[in-house]
Amino acid sequence: MGILQVKHAGMEPAPENGTQAHPQGGYRMFSRIVDWITSDRMQLINITDRINEIVRKSGIRDGLVHLQSLHTTTAVFINEWQDALLHDVRSFLDEVVCRENAWRHNDPRYSDCERKNADSHLRGMLMGQSLCLQVRNSTVLLGTWQSIILAEFDGPRSRSMSILVSGV
Amino acid sequence: MGILQVKHAGMEPAPENGTQAHPQGGYRMFSRIVDWITSDRMQLINITDRINEIVRKSGIRDGLVHLQSLHTTTAVFINEWQDALLHDVRSFLDEVVCRENAWRHNDPRYSDCERKNADSHLRGMLMGQSLCLQVRNSTVLLGTWQSIILAEFDGPRSRSMSILVSGV
Amino acid sequence: MGILQVKHAGMEPAPENGTQAHPQGGYRMFSRIVDWITSDRMQLINITDRINEIVRKSGIRDGLVHLQSLHTTTAVFINEWQDALLHDVRSFLDEVVCRENAWRHNDPRYSDCERKNADSHLRGMLMGQSLCLQVRNSTVLLGTWQSIILAEFDGPRSRSMSILVSGV
């Protein structure tokens, strides 16, 4: 269904027959908790620069960076950072999970939650609260148009994300 | 769009100029397959305690835990574990992927699948069958309201999940 | 809500009290960029064999393989590879994100994007551009019916995916 090409990436390939340890001496990890104070009920925040700053600080050159928001009514995902498109993202999420449905989580007969935020929970669940990306040359590997976006679905709040960089 | 604060997590940060191997002596892995026997066509199962038990057994203190359900008609994701909200999750998934559509996978003219479970496949695909989370102090890192949920979309069945803990 | 069984997987479990390094001598990484040239606006490509080939070449026996498409208008996910179901996947994605909505990203009053591809961006965001799976015995761990699918949402184009295998 498509012509296939293989390019060799910059990282030195492992020997095909060996179990040689990485020449740089082994696996390392580095972690940080980062907080954001949001200002709107639904808000999109471009966190790409912040994540890259932490990756650089980690001293890890190649590996993975794992992002995990610690809140059910948030999400983290990738998209282009363009005003018109961000408006569409909010419209889409408003439409795919309707705030006004007769959700039980918002109904005092079934739930003691006073935030009436069933829609926020469903949006967070749908979009996901964790994201794993590759690190190459001490930078998050991203395509030209890819930005890392933290989505607030029940703000304004203070929100924490745990970032774990691992690799060599 | 938000005030930013950085907190230092408990894990010792890597030196910013170094390639020092981890003081604890290196990377380890630990894996298990866990089975669940489900009882309903659509069923949500809180697997947080089970995953934490495996993480503790692994002897790995800091790193990642990767969960992978081995079935296309299941999913694994995070949400709050509250009865009213779980009802809403089921309603939302019922609505966003309608079981009664004229799906080809359910039509003997196009498909030899006798389970008529196109909706189950689409729900599994939408929500995702794998999840990666951080491990900190021999525990899965989760926010106060975050539970790990295994979703059955075509039960009752026996379901297997592979769990890989990696780190130091 | 389900009877629980635990099976021991083939990988040697770590000692419960130790920090012993992995007997095979440590963590390694291997990465490749793979390109596909797509032929349709929305197209699903089964990349399972290609990913397995790279995993075998890596020489890494147990660990994780991380797939990251470098384009916002693509996605990578798991589903059964069956013609009738693939038709349903396309129908579902067409329906859940309607191409004809009055998206701002497609409106020259708000956006300088000439591709009119708001739907492609929203589908890519919804389904996700990265996927992490386990590697066991030099093969991607997949259930019987699980295939790895690269989705093109704005083709025909040339598309790149970065694949990182890590482990021992």
Side-chain angles (χ1 to χ4, degrees):
Chain A
M1 293 181 74
I3 296 163
L4 185 75
Q5 298 171 316
V6 183
K7 290 189 289 198
H8 284 232
M11 201 181 312
E12 192 183 36
E16 297 196 13
N17 61 347
T19 53
Q20 184 189 25
H22 197 282
Q24 282 160 286
Y27 177 81
R28 291 195 301 133
M29 281 191 304
F30 181 91
S31 75
R32 283 289 180 277
I33 305 276
V34 179
D35 294 341
W36 282 267
I37 296 171
T38 61
S39 54
D40 301 323
R41 188 168 193 269
M42 193 192 296
Q43 186 178 348
L44 305 173
I45 303 172
N46 187 341
I47 64 172
T48 312
D49 290 348
R50 199 66 197 85
I51 302 304
N52 262 320
E53 202 177 299
I54 290 168
V55 166
R56 274 195 303 274
K57 264 193 191 152
S58 75
I60 290 169
R61 184 179 167 86
D62 293 310
L64 292 171
V65 56
H66 184 271
L67 315 178
Q68 187 179 333
S69 165
L70 300 176
H71 311 275
T72 49
T73 54
T74 62
V76 56
F77 51 82
I78 283 176
N79 213 336
E80 182 181 344
W81 189 257
Q82 187 225 32
D83 278 350
L85 184 62
L86 297 172
H87 185 274
D88 295 336
V89 168
R90 286 188 295 264
S91 300
F92 168 71
L93 291 168
D94 263 338
E95 183 198 297
V96 77
V97 181
C98 177
R99 184 174 181 182
E100 308 307 331
N101 268 25
W103 304 115
R104 286 206 180 179
H105 185 66
N106 300 348
D107 182 340
R109 289 175 299 170
Y110 298 102
S111 170
D112 59 359
C113 173
E114 293 176 354
R115 296 190 66 87
K116 315 265 184 239
N117 63 354
D119 61 321
S120 319
H121 279 280
L122 295 171
R123 288 177 194 138
M125 177 188 83
L126 182 67
M127 299 304 301
Q129 284 138 50
S130 68
L131 184 66
C132 196
L133 298 167
Q134 295 175 32
V135 171
R136 203 64 50 84
N137 295 323
S138 306
T139 310
V140 183
L141 181 70
L142 289 170
T144 312
W145 304 104
Q146 291 182 315
S147 288
I148 312 171
I149 297 173
L150 170 64
E152 166 66 84
F153 293 133
D154 191 32
R157 304 283 280 270
S158 173
R159 299 303 202 171
S160 299
M161 177 181 280
S162 182
I163 295 135
L164 180 75
V165 193
S166 62
V168 294
Chain B
M1 293 180 75
I3 297 163
L4 185 76
Q5 298 171 316
V6 183
K7 290 189 289 197
H8 283 232
M11 202 182 309
E12 190 183 37
E16 297 196 14
N17 61 347
T19 52
Q20 185 187 25
H22 197 283
Q24 281 160 284
Y27 177 80
R28 290 195 301 134
M29 281 190 303
F30 180 92
S31 76
R32 283 289 180 277
I33 306 276
V34 179
D35 295 341
W36 282 268
I37 296 171
T38 60
S39 52
D40 302 322
R41 187 169 194 270
M42 193 193 297
Q43 186 178 346
L44 304 174
I45 303 173
N46 188 342
I47 64 171
T48 313
D49 290 348
R50 201 66 198 85
I51 302 305
N52 263 320
E53 204 177 299
I54 290 168
V55 167
R56 273 194 305 272
K57 263 192 190 153
S58 76
I60 290 169
R61 183 178 167 86
D62 293 309
L64 293 170
V65 56
H66 184 271
L67 315 179
Q68 187 177 333
S69 166
L70 299 176
H71 312 276
T72 49
T73 54
T74 62
V76 55
F77 51 81
I78 284 176
N79 212 336
E80 182 180 344
W81 189 258
Q82 186 226 31
D83 278 349
L85 184 62
L86 297 173
H87 185 274
D88 296 336
V89 169
R90 286 188 296 263
S91 300
F92 169 71
L93 291 168
D94 262 337
E95 181 199 300
V96 77
V97 181
C98 177
R99 185 174 180 181
E100 307 307 331
N101 267 25
W103 304 115
R104 287 204 181 180
H105 185 66
N106 299 348
D107 182 340
R109 290 175 300 171
Y110 299 103
S111 170
D112 59 358
C113 173
E114 293 176 354
R115 295 190 67 87
K116 314 264 184 240
N117 63 354
D119 61 320
S120 319
H121 279 281
L122 295 171
R123 287 177 193 137
M125 177 188 83
L126 183 67
M127 299 304 301
Q129 284 138 49
S130 68
L131 183 66
C132 197
L133 298 168
Q134 295 175 32
V135 170
R136 203 64 49 86
N137 295 322
S138 306
T139 309
V140 183
L141 181 70
L142 289 170
T144 312
W145 304 104
Q146 290 182 316
S147 288
I148 310 172
I149 296 173
L150 170 64
E152 166 66 85
F153 294 134
D154 191 31
R157 303 284 280 272
S158 172
R159 299 303 201 171
S160 298
M161 177 180 280
S162 182
I163 295 136
L164 180 75
V165 193
S166 62
V168 296
Chain C
M1 294 180 72
I3 296 163
L4 185 75
Q5 298 171 316
V6 183
K7 288 190 290 199
H8 283 231
M11 200 182 312
E12 191 183 36
E16 297 197 14
N17 61 348
T19 53
Q20 185 187 26
H22 197 282
Q24 282 158 284
Y27 176 80
R28 290 195 302 132
M29 281 191 305
F30 180 91
S31 75
R32 283 290 180 277
I33 305 276
V34 179
D35 294 341
W36 282 267
I37 297 171
T38 61
S39 54
D40 301 322
R41 187 169 194 269
M42 193 192 296
Q43 186 179 347
L44 304 174
I45 303 171
N46 188 340
I47 64 172
T48 313
D49 290 348
R50 199 66 197 85
I51 302 303
N52 263 320
E53 203 177 298
I54 290 168
V55 166
R56 275 194 303 273
K57 263 191 190 152
S58 77
I60 290 169
R61 185 179 165 85
D62 293 309
L64 292 171
V65 55
H66 185 270
L67 315 178
Q68 187 177 334
S69 165
L70 300 176
H71 311 276
T72 49
T73 55
T74 62
V76 55
F77 51 81
I78 284 176
N79 212 334
E80 182 180 345
W81 189 258
Q82 187 227 31
D83 277 350
L85 184 62
L86 297 173
H87 185 275
D88 295 336
V89 168
R90 286 189 295 265
S91 300
F92 169 71
L93 291 168
D94 262 338
E95 181 199 297
V96 76
V97 180
C98 177
R99 186 174 179 182
E100 308 307 331
N101 268 24
W103 304 115
R104 286 205 180 181
H105 184 65
N106 300 348
D107 182 340
R109 290 175 299 172
Y110 298 103
S111 169
D112 58 359
C113 173
E114 293 175 353
R115 295 190 67 87
K116 314 264 183 242
N117 62 354
D119 60 321
S120 319
H121 279 281
L122 295 171
R123 288 178 193 136
M125 176 189 84
L126 183 66
M127 300 303 301
Q129 285 138 49
S130 68
L131 184 66
C132 197
L133 297 169
Q134 295 175 32
V135 171
R136 203 65 50 85
N137 295 323
S138 306
T139 310
V140 182
L141 180 71
L142 289 169
T144 312
W145 303 104
Q146 291 183 316
S147 289
I148 311 172
I149 297 173
L150 170 63
E152 166 67 83
F153 294 133
D154 192 31
R157 304 283 281 273
S158 172
R159 299 303 201 169
S160 299
M161 178 182 280
S162 181
I163 295 134
L164 180 75
V165 193
S166 62
V168 294

PDB file of all heavy atoms in Angstrom, chain B residues 24 28-30 32 53-61 138 168, chain C residues 13-21:
ATOM      1  N   GLN B  24      22.842   2.943  41.393  1.00  0.00           N
ATOM      2  CA  GLN B  24      22.324   1.665  41.881  1.00  0.00           C
ATOM      3  C   GLN B  24      22.736   0.494  40.995  1.00  0.00           C
ATOM      4  O   GLN B  24      22.349  -0.631  41.238  1.00  0.00           O
ATOM      5  CB  GLN B  24      20.801   1.716  41.989  1.00  0.00           C
ATOM      6  CG  GLN B  24      20.354   2.452  43.236  1.00  0.00           C
ATOM      7  CD  GLN B  24      18.938   2.930  43.105  1.00  0.00           C
ATOM      8  OE1 GLN B  24      18.662   3.901  42.414  1.00  0.00           O
ATOM      9  NE2 GLN B  24      18.026   2.244  43.743  1.00  0.00           N
ATOM     10  N   ARG B  28      17.048  -2.606  34.963  1.00  0.00           N
ATOM     11  CA  ARG B  28      16.482  -3.941  35.117  1.00  0.00           C
ATOM     12  C   ARG B  28      15.066  -3.982  34.549  1.00  0.00           C
ATOM     13  O   ARG B  28      14.399  -2.961  34.436  1.00  0.00           O
ATOM     14  CB  ARG B  28      16.422  -4.314  36.595  1.00  0.00           C
ATOM     15  CG  ARG B  28      17.804  -4.560  37.172  1.00  0.00           C
ATOM     16  CD  ARG B  28      17.704  -5.275  38.497  1.00  0.00           C
ATOM     17  NE  ARG B  28      16.938  -4.517  39.439  1.00  0.00           N
ATOM     18  CZ  ARG B  28      15.979  -5.015  40.205  1.00  0.00           C
ATOM     19  NH1 ARG B  28      15.667  -6.293  40.141  1.00  0.00           N
ATOM     20  NH2 ARG B  28      15.325  -4.237  41.052  1.00  0.00           N
ATOM     21  N   MET B  29      14.615  -5.176  34.247  1.00  0.00           N
ATOM     22  CA  MET B  29      13.254  -5.369  33.759  1.00  0.00           C
ATOM     23  C   MET B  29      12.602  -6.512  34.511  1.00  0.00           C
ATOM     24  O   MET B  29      13.281  -7.436  34.965  1.00  0.00           O
ATOM     25  CB  MET B  29      13.275  -5.735  32.284  1.00  0.00           C
ATOM     26  CG  MET B  29      13.478  -4.538  31.383  1.00  0.00           C
ATOM     27  SD  MET B  29      13.194  -4.988  29.675  1.00  0.00           S
ATOM     28  CE  MET B  29      14.357  -6.312  29.515  1.00  0.00           C
ATOM     29  N   PHE B  30      11.290  -6.478  34.538  1.00  0.00           N
ATOM     30  CA  PHE B  30      10.510  -7.506  35.228  1.00  0.00           C
ATOM     31  C   PHE B  30       9.171  -7.566  34.509  1.00  0.00           C
ATOM     32  O   PHE B  30       8.553  -6.536  34.261  1.00  0.00           O
ATOM     33  CB  PHE B  30      10.315  -7.058  36.678  1.00  0.00           C
ATOM     34  CG  PHE B  30       9.536  -7.997  37.547  1.00  0.00           C
ATOM     35  CD1 PHE B  30      10.182  -8.972  38.297  1.00  0.00           C
ATOM     36  CD2 PHE B  30       8.151  -7.891  37.640  1.00  0.00           C
ATOM     37  CE1 PHE B  30       9.470  -9.817  39.133  1.00  0.00           C
ATOM     38  CE2 PHE B  30       7.432  -8.734  38.472  1.00  0.00           C
ATOM     39  CZ  PHE B  30       8.101  -9.700  39.222  1.00  0.00           C
ATOM     40  N   ARG B  32       5.266  -9.692  33.788  1.00  0.00           N
ATOM     41  CA  ARG B  32       4.243 -10.652  34.181  1.00  0.00           C
ATOM     42  C   ARG B  32       3.089 -10.583  33.186  1.00  0.00           C
ATOM     43  O   ARG B  32       2.816  -9.509  32.640  1.00  0.00           O
ATOM     44  CB  ARG B  32       3.658 -10.314  35.561  1.00  0.00           C
ATOM     45  CG  ARG B  32       4.538 -10.678  36.729  1.00  0.00           C
ATOM     46  CD  ARG B  32       4.599 -12.194  36.910  1.00  0.00           C
ATOM     47  NE  ARG B  32       5.439 -12.566  38.043  1.00  0.00           N
ATOM     48  CZ  ARG B  32       6.762 -12.668  38.001  1.00  0.00           C
ATOM     49  NH1 ARG B  32       7.415 -12.395  36.896  1.00  0.00           N
ATOM     50  NH2 ARG B  32       7.433 -13.039  39.059  1.00  0.00           N
ATOM     51  N   GLU B  53       0.866  -4.159  42.945  1.00  0.00           N
ATOM     52  CA  GLU B  53       1.423  -5.386  43.526  1.00  0.00           C
ATOM     53  C   GLU B  53       2.575  -5.909  42.663  1.00  0.00           C
ATOM     54  O   GLU B  53       3.622  -6.328  43.180  1.00  0.00           O
ATOM     55  CB  GLU B  53       0.290  -6.421  43.582  1.00  0.00           C
ATOM     56  CG  GLU B  53       0.430  -7.512  44.594  1.00  0.00           C
ATOM     57  CD  GLU B  53      -0.813  -8.404  44.554  1.00  0.00           C
ATOM     58  OE1 GLU B  53      -1.937  -7.901  44.805  1.00  0.00           O
ATOM     59  OE2 GLU B  53      -0.660  -9.592  44.230  1.00  0.00           O
ATOM     60  N   ILE B  54       2.392  -5.865  41.362  1.00  0.00           N
ATOM     61  CA  ILE B  54       3.434  -6.339  40.448  1.00  0.00           C
ATOM     62  C   ILE B  54       4.640  -5.403  40.477  1.00  0.00           C
ATOM     63  O   ILE B  54       5.786  -5.851  40.466  1.00  0.00           O
ATOM     64  CB  ILE B  54       2.842  -6.497  39.025  1.00  0.00           C
ATOM     65  CG1 ILE B  54       1.878  -7.689  39.023  1.00  0.00           C
ATOM     66  CG2 ILE B  54       3.940  -6.684  37.978  1.00  0.00           C
ATOM     67  CD1 ILE B  54       1.013  -7.802  37.793  1.00  0.00           C
ATOM     68  N   VAL B  55       4.385  -4.110  40.548  1.00  0.00           N
ATOM     69  CA  VAL B  55       5.493  -3.152  40.634  1.00  0.00           C
ATOM     70  C   VAL B  55       6.297  -3.404  41.911  1.00  0.00           C
ATOM     71  O   VAL B  55       7.536  -3.430  41.886  1.00  0.00           O
ATOM     72  CB  VAL B  55       4.965  -1.704  40.566  1.00  0.00           C
ATOM     73  CG1 VAL B  55       6.035  -0.704  40.979  1.00  0.00           C
ATOM     74  CG2 VAL B  55       4.457  -1.394  39.160  1.00  0.00           C
ATOM     75  N   ARG B  56       5.617  -3.625  43.016  1.00  0.00           N
ATOM     76  CA  ARG B  56       6.339  -3.898  44.278  1.00  0.00           C
ATOM     77  C   ARG B  56       7.171  -5.168  44.156  1.00  0.00           C
ATOM     78  O   ARG B  56       8.325  -5.202  44.569  1.00  0.00           O
ATOM     79  CB  ARG B  56       5.355  -4.041  45.442  1.00  0.00           C
ATOM     80  CG  ARG B  56       4.989  -2.713  46.102  1.00  0.00           C
ATOM     81  CD  ARG B  56       4.300  -2.928  47.440  1.00  0.00           C
ATOM     82  NE  ARG B  56       3.134  -3.783  47.329  1.00  0.00           N
ATOM     83  CZ  ARG B  56       1.894  -3.345  47.047  1.00  0.00           C
ATOM     84  NH1 ARG B  56       1.668  -2.066  46.855  1.00  0.00           N
ATOM     85  NH2 ARG B  56       0.896  -4.189  46.972  1.00  0.00           N
ATOM     86  N   LYS B  57       6.578  -6.207  43.576  1.00  0.00           N
ATOM     87  CA  LYS B  57       7.288  -7.482  43.417  1.00  0.00           C
ATOM     88  C   LYS B  57       8.514  -7.352  42.530  1.00  0.00           C
ATOM     89  O   LYS B  57       9.459  -8.126  42.658  1.00  0.00           O
ATOM     90  CB  LYS B  57       6.362  -8.503  42.751  1.00  0.00           C
ATOM     91  CG  LYS B  57       5.668  -9.423  43.719  1.00  0.00           C
ATOM     92  CD  LYS B  57       5.011 -10.578  42.971  1.00  0.00           C
ATOM     93  CE  LYS B  57       4.109 -11.355  43.905  1.00  0.00           C
ATOM     94  NZ  LYS B  57       3.021 -12.024  43.213  1.00  0.00           N
ATOM     95  N   SER B  58       8.478  -6.406  41.615  1.00  0.00           N
ATOM     96  CA  SER B  58       9.572  -6.283  40.633  1.00  0.00           C
ATOM     97  C   SER B  58      10.889  -5.884  41.293  1.00  0.00           C
ATOM     98  O   SER B  58      11.953  -6.115  40.730  1.00  0.00           O
ATOM     99  CB  SER B  58       9.210  -5.236  39.573  1.00  0.00           C
ATOM    100  OG  SER B  58       9.350  -3.926  40.097  1.00  0.00           O
ATOM    101  N   GLY B  59      10.808  -5.259  42.461  1.00  0.00           N
ATOM    102  CA  GLY B  59      12.020  -4.768  43.095  1.00  0.00           C
ATOM    103  C   GLY B  59      12.578  -3.515  42.426  1.00  0.00           C
ATOM    104  O   GLY B  59      13.642  -3.024  42.807  1.00  0.00           O
ATOM    105  N   ILE B  60      11.879  -3.010  41.429  1.00  0.00           N
ATOM    106  CA  ILE B  60      12.328  -1.792  40.733  1.00  0.00           C
ATOM    107  C   ILE B  60      11.726  -0.581  41.435  1.00  0.00           C
ATOM    108  O   ILE B  60      10.528  -0.540  41.698  1.00  0.00           O
ATOM    109  CB  ILE B  60      11.953  -1.862  39.234  1.00  0.00           C
ATOM    110  CG1 ILE B  60      12.835  -2.929  38.561  1.00  0.00           C
ATOM    111  CG2 ILE B  60      12.106  -0.501  38.561  1.00  0.00           C
ATOM    112  CD1 ILE B  60      12.412  -3.304  37.167  1.00  0.00           C
ATOM    113  N   ARG B  61      12.597   0.392  41.751  1.00  0.00           N
ATOM    114  CA  ARG B  61      12.156   1.528  42.557  1.00  0.00           C
ATOM    115  C   ARG B  61      11.652   2.682  41.690  1.00  0.00           C
ATOM    116  O   ARG B  61      10.637   3.288  41.966  1.00  0.00           O
ATOM    117  CB  ARG B  61      13.335   2.008  43.412  1.00  0.00           C
ATOM    118  CG  ARG B  61      12.984   3.128  44.340  1.00  0.00           C
ATOM    119  CD  ARG B  61      14.174   3.542  45.211  1.00  0.00           C
ATOM    120  NE  ARG B  61      13.900   4.791  45.851  1.00  0.00           N
ATOM    121  CZ  ARG B  61      13.240   4.922  47.003  1.00  0.00           C
ATOM    122  NH1 ARG B  61      12.832   3.858  47.642  1.00  0.00           N
ATOM    123  NH2 ARG B  61      12.993   6.121  47.510  1.00  0.00           N
ATOM    124  N   SER B 138       8.778   2.532  44.140  1.00  0.00           N
ATOM    125  CA  SER B 138       8.177   1.194  44.036  1.00  0.00           C
ATOM    126  C   SER B 138       6.656   1.209  43.950  1.00  0.00           C
ATOM    127  O   SER B 138       5.993   0.234  44.321  1.00  0.00           O
ATOM    128  CB  SER B 138       8.621   0.311  45.205  1.00  0.00           C
ATOM    129  OG  SER B 138      10.029   0.290  45.289  1.00  0.00           O
ATOM    130  N   VAL B 168      15.344   1.256  37.556  1.00  0.00           N
ATOM    131  CA  VAL B 168      16.462   0.949  38.471  1.00  0.00           C
ATOM    132  C   VAL B 168      15.948   0.642  39.875  1.00  0.00           C
ATOM    133  O   VAL B 168      14.875   1.061  40.244  1.00  0.00           O
ATOM    134  CB  VAL B 168      17.460   2.131  38.552  1.00  0.00           C
ATOM    135  CG1 VAL B 168      18.118   2.357  37.208  1.00  0.00           C
ATOM    136  CG2 VAL B 168      16.771   3.397  39.023  1.00  0.00           C
TER     137      VAL B 168
ATOM    138  N   PRO C  13      12.408 -13.225  36.419  1.00  0.00           N
ATOM    139  CA  PRO C  13      12.051 -12.125  37.318  1.00  0.00           C
ATOM    140  C   PRO C  13      13.260 -11.616  38.083  1.00  0.00           C
ATOM    141  O   PRO C  13      14.195 -12.363  38.352  1.00  0.00           O
ATOM    142  CB  PRO C  13      11.031 -12.762  38.264  1.00  0.00           C
ATOM    143  CG  PRO C  13      11.324 -14.225  38.229  1.00  0.00           C
ATOM    144  CD  PRO C  13      11.910 -14.520  36.871  1.00  0.00           C
ATOM    145  N   ALA C  14      13.206 -10.347  38.396  1.00  0.00           N
ATOM    146  CA  ALA C  14      14.274  -9.743  39.190  1.00  0.00           C
ATOM    147  C   ALA C  14      14.179 -10.253  40.617  1.00  0.00           C
ATOM    148  O   ALA C  14      13.105 -10.605  41.086  1.00  0.00           O
ATOM    149  CB  ALA C  14      14.116  -8.227  39.172  1.00  0.00           C
ATOM    150  N   PRO C  15      15.293 -10.307  41.328  1.00  0.00           N
ATOM    151  CA  PRO C  15      15.230 -10.711  42.733  1.00  0.00           C
ATOM    152  C   PRO C  15      14.462  -9.661  43.516  1.00  0.00           C
ATOM    153  O   PRO C  15      14.599  -8.470  43.262  1.00  0.00           O
ATOM    154  CB  PRO C  15      16.699 -10.752  43.141  1.00  0.00           C
ATOM    155  CG  PRO C  15      17.397  -9.859  42.177  1.00  0.00           C
ATOM    156  CD  PRO C  15      16.621  -9.907  40.900  1.00  0.00           C
ATOM    157  N   GLU C  16      13.672 -10.110  44.455  1.00  0.00           N
ATOM    158  CA  GLU C  16      12.772  -9.165  45.116  1.00  0.00           C
ATOM    159  C   GLU C  16      13.510  -8.230  46.058  1.00  0.00           C
ATOM    160  O   GLU C  16      13.022  -7.180  46.408  1.00  0.00           O
ATOM    161  CB  GLU C  16      11.666  -9.918  45.846  1.00  0.00           C
ATOM    162  CG  GLU C  16      10.822 -10.681  44.840  1.00  0.00           C
ATOM    163  CD  GLU C  16       9.492 -11.121  45.389  1.00  0.00           C
ATOM    164  OE1 GLU C  16       9.085 -10.628  46.452  1.00  0.00           O
ATOM    165  OE2 GLU C  16       8.837 -11.948  44.727  1.00  0.00           O
ATOM    166  N   ASN C  17      14.661  -8.584  46.470  1.00  0.00           N
ATOM    167  CA  ASN C  17      15.368  -7.746  47.435  1.00  0.00           C
ATOM    168  C   ASN C  17      16.605  -7.083  46.843  1.00  0.00           C
ATOM    169  O   ASN C  17      17.361  -6.464  47.548  1.00  0.00           O
ATOM    170  CB  ASN C  17      15.797  -8.604  48.629  1.00  0.00           C
ATOM    171  CG  ASN C  17      16.729  -9.703  48.153  1.00  0.00           C
ATOM    172  OD1 ASN C  17      16.851  -9.938  46.946  1.00  0.00           O
ATOM    173  ND2 ASN C  17      17.392 -10.365  49.081  1.00  0.00           N
ATOM    174  N   GLY C  18      16.833  -7.206  45.571  1.00  0.00           N
ATOM    175  CA  GLY C  18      18.133  -6.810  45.052  1.00  0.00           C
ATOM    176  C   GLY C  18      18.098  -5.645  44.099  1.00  0.00           C
ATOM    177  O   GLY C  18      17.047  -5.153  43.706  1.00  0.00           O
ATOM    178  N   THR C  19      19.261  -5.201  43.725  1.00  0.00           N
ATOM    179  CA  THR C  19      19.393  -4.184  42.690  1.00  0.00           C
ATOM    180  C   THR C  19      20.364  -4.701  41.631  1.00  0.00           C
ATOM    181  O   THR C  19      21.044  -3.934  40.964  1.00  0.00           O
ATOM    182  CB  THR C  19      19.929  -2.864  43.263  1.00  0.00           C
ATOM    183  OG1 THR C  19      21.130  -3.170  43.976  1.00  0.00           O
ATOM    184  CG2 THR C  19      18.942  -2.195  44.175  1.00  0.00           C
ATOM    185  N   GLN C  20      20.413  -6.003  41.527  1.00  0.00           N
ATOM    186  CA  GLN C  20      21.297  -6.668  40.585  1.00  0.00           C
ATOM    187  C   GLN C  20      21.125  -6.135  39.163  1.00  0.00           C
ATOM    188  O   GLN C  20      20.008  -5.972  38.695  1.00  0.00           O
ATOM    189  CB  GLN C  20      20.918  -8.162  40.603  1.00  0.00           C
ATOM    190  CG  GLN C  20      21.818  -9.032  39.769  1.00  0.00           C
ATOM    191  CD  GLN C  20      21.260 -10.463  39.712  1.00  0.00           C
ATOM    192  OE1 GLN C  20      20.060 -10.667  39.865  1.00  0.00           O
ATOM    193  NE2 GLN C  20      22.128 -11.413  39.486  1.00  0.00           N
ATOM    194  N   ALA C  21      22.225  -5.878  38.514  1.00  0.00           N
ATOM    195  CA  ALA C  21      22.144  -5.453  37.120  1.00  0.00           C
ATOM    196  C   ALA C  21      21.675  -6.631  36.272  1.00  0.00           C
ATOM    197  O   ALA C  21      21.794  -7.789  36.669  1.00  0.00           O
ATOM    198  CB  ALA C  21      23.496  -4.969  36.642  1.00  0.00           C
TER     199      ALA C  21
END
